[in-house]
Amino acid sequence: MRPGVLVVSAPGKIILHGEHAVVHGKVALAAALNLRTFLKLQPLSDGKVTLNLANIGIKQTWDVANLQLLDTSFLEQGDVPAPTTEQVEKLKEVAGIPKNCASPEHLALTAFLYLYLTICQKRGWPEEDLEVINQWAFRGERVIHGNPSGVDNAISTWGGALRYQQGKISSLNRPPTLQILLTNTKVPRSTKALVAGVRNRLIKFPEIVGPLLTSIDAVSRKCEHVLAEVLAAPALEHYLVLEELIDMNQHQLNALGVGHASLDQLCQVTAAHGLHSKLTGAGGGGCGITLLRPDLERAKVEAARQALMDCGFDCWETSIGAPGVSVHSASSLHGPVCQALGGL
């Protein structure tokens, strides 16, 4: 690796159980995915700062001297719940993003510029401090999502698995590593609209939806208990219970109105191969997870994965309980990662 070049990575995350119920004070379990985002930091002497997000086709360069001339007093207003609409629009103007544009790619660019300009004003924050990383990641989340829970940045910072309830995040002690399939149905959705739909259904049918949310909470708590048992003394019956919980939770989420035909198809395809799946996250499309028991034959896993891809879905085999933010040496990186980072 060239002198001065630093490569760091962070895991993605999934919700195991508790989607939507967590909005109403119930328990949710989140886990780090061993599908990682890599970042190469390289100092240059040309007086420019460049952001290159190769996977989403974003590359932009700014003159540092010009950025230093900007009026960034609006970034010094303390720890507000989220940047105001006016602040975000001003950042977009600096970034050269069209007014009122809110595509995911442009929001990523805006979040980077927000963090870069704000961090450059700070002095003396400690390096390799996970709490600092987590707080800055949370501020970036605020630019994109407005008022996020804090789960995404926390799980990507510390890794492993987390329990979240009513704003309190706690780490699960040494969660077991579980193999899964992560499937992207490629169906877009609006998390905001789906959350609002569940809230409206709760208001309309409180005697029905209230107990349903309580039942989802019970699934999350039971899963937490079983994961602890798996870690202590793993046995096949533990995985069978986890499969039952997955099936029940999927039906619960469908009853909340956050399912989708693509997710039903995902569950049907994997069930035909003896596997158990559920949506993860907001639902309405998006992604689903499939548990892979340790006793499964390799051919069955490959057949299920191929069948999902034949449906037009993207599918990855990975594991949960991955480590959090990590620093990498060049020798530890696989060839495709080095190539994607432009060589080291």
Side-chain angles (χ1 to χ4, degrees):
M1 192 179 298
R2 293 191 295 273
V5 174
L6 177 68
V7 175
V8 296
S9 73
K13 81 100 173 76
I14 59 167
I15 301 293
L16 288 174
H17 294 290
E19 293 94 343
H20 291 282
V22 69
V23 177
H24 302 278
K26 308 304 183 183
V27 172
L29 301 181
L33 276 174
N34 202 22
L35 293 173
R36 308 185 71 81
T37 296
F38 287 84
L39 172 68
K40 180 173 77 172
L41 300 170
Q42 182 176 0
L44 300 174
S45 57
D46 59 0
K48 299 181 185 297
V49 56
T50 297
L51 174 68
N52 184 8
L53 304 176
N55 291 99
I56 59 175
I58 290 288
K59 184 174 183 179
Q60 190 151 337
T61 298
W62 298 272
D63 287 317
V64 174
N66 290 340
L67 291 178
Q68 291 173 341
L69 294 175
L70 294 172
D71 176 12
T72 56
S73 58
F74 67 95
L75 298 175
E76 301 172 358
Q77 299 177 9
D79 190 20
V80 296
T84 65
T85 301
E86 292 76 16
Q87 290 172 345
V88 172
E89 289 302 322
K90 190 167 184 178
L91 284 166
K92 288 180 180 178
E93 182 182 342
V94 172
I97 297 171
K99 191 175 179 63
N100 297 321
C101 181
S103 70
E105 295 82 4
H106 287 122
L107 284 174
L109 192 63
T110 306
F112 166 79
L113 194 60
Y114 171 78
L115 294 176
Y116 177 82
L117 291 173
T118 310
I119 291 172
C120 283
Q121 298 177 21
K122 306 295 179 182
R123 296 293 183 268
W125 61 280
E127 295 182 4
E128 300 180 1
D129 184 329
L130 290 179
E131 183 55 43
V132 171
I133 293 172
N134 182 56
Q135 290 300 322
W136 281 112
F138 184 52
R139 295 186 72 165
E141 282 277 296
R142 285 174 168 175
V143 173
I144 296 174
H145 295 298
N147 190 25
S149 66
V151 171
D152 285 14
N153 49 279
I155 197 67
S156 291
T157 301
W158 279 288
L162 297 176
R163 183 186 201 268
Y164 181 84
Q165 185 179 24
Q166 295 182 325
K168 183 180 179 181
I169 300 174
S170 56
S171 177
L172 302 186
N173 293 327
R174 294 179 56 226
T177 299
L178 300 178
Q179 294 296 125
I180 65 164
L181 294 178
L182 175 69
T183 302
N184 182 4
T185 66
K186 303 184 188 177
V187 175
R189 76 278 172 87
S190 167
T191 299
K192 183 178 180 180
L194 289 161
V195 170
V198 172
R199 188 177 300 278
N200 290 337
R201 188 167 286 197
L202 175 60
I203 293 171
K204 187 176 182 180
F205 305 109
E207 298 86 355
I208 299 172
V209 177
L212 185 56
L213 295 174
T214 300
S215 179
I216 292 174
D217 181 77
V219 168
S220 297
R221 294 174 185 272
K222 179 63 176 179
C223 179
E224 183 179 6
H225 178 71
V226 174
L227 290 177
E229 291 184 335
V230 171
L231 186 63
L236 179 59
E237 51 262 33
H238 293 140
Y239 293 92
L240 298 178
V241 172
L242 291 176
E243 288 180 336
E244 286 189 84
L245 293 176
I246 284 173
D247 291 341
M248 286 189 287
N249 194 206
Q250 176 62 18
H251 291 304
Q252 291 167 328
L253 292 165
N254 274 333
L256 285 182
V258 297
H260 190 272
S262 62
L263 293 166
D264 292 339
Q265 183 181 18
L266 188 162
C267 293
Q268 291 164 3
V269 168
T270 55
H273 292 83
L275 307 179
H276 300 255
S277 305
K278 67 177 287 288
L279 67 84
T280 182
C287 293
I289 55 173
T290 305
L291 180 64
L292 301 178
R293 295 192 316 272
D295 65 323
L296 283 173
E297 296 177 4
R298 188 71 223 162
K300 182 173 290 189
V301 175
E302 289 297 334
R305 184 168 177 267
Q306 185 60 54
L308 289 168
M309 291 190 293
D310 289 344
C311 294
F313 302 152
D314 288 336
C315 187
W316 302 271
E317 183 178 351
T318 185
S319 59
I320 65 172
V325 172
S326 305
V327 178
H328 301 270
S329 64
S331 60
S332 69
L333 298 174
H334 298 297
V337 174
C338 290
Q339 184 178 0
L341 293 173
L344 297 172

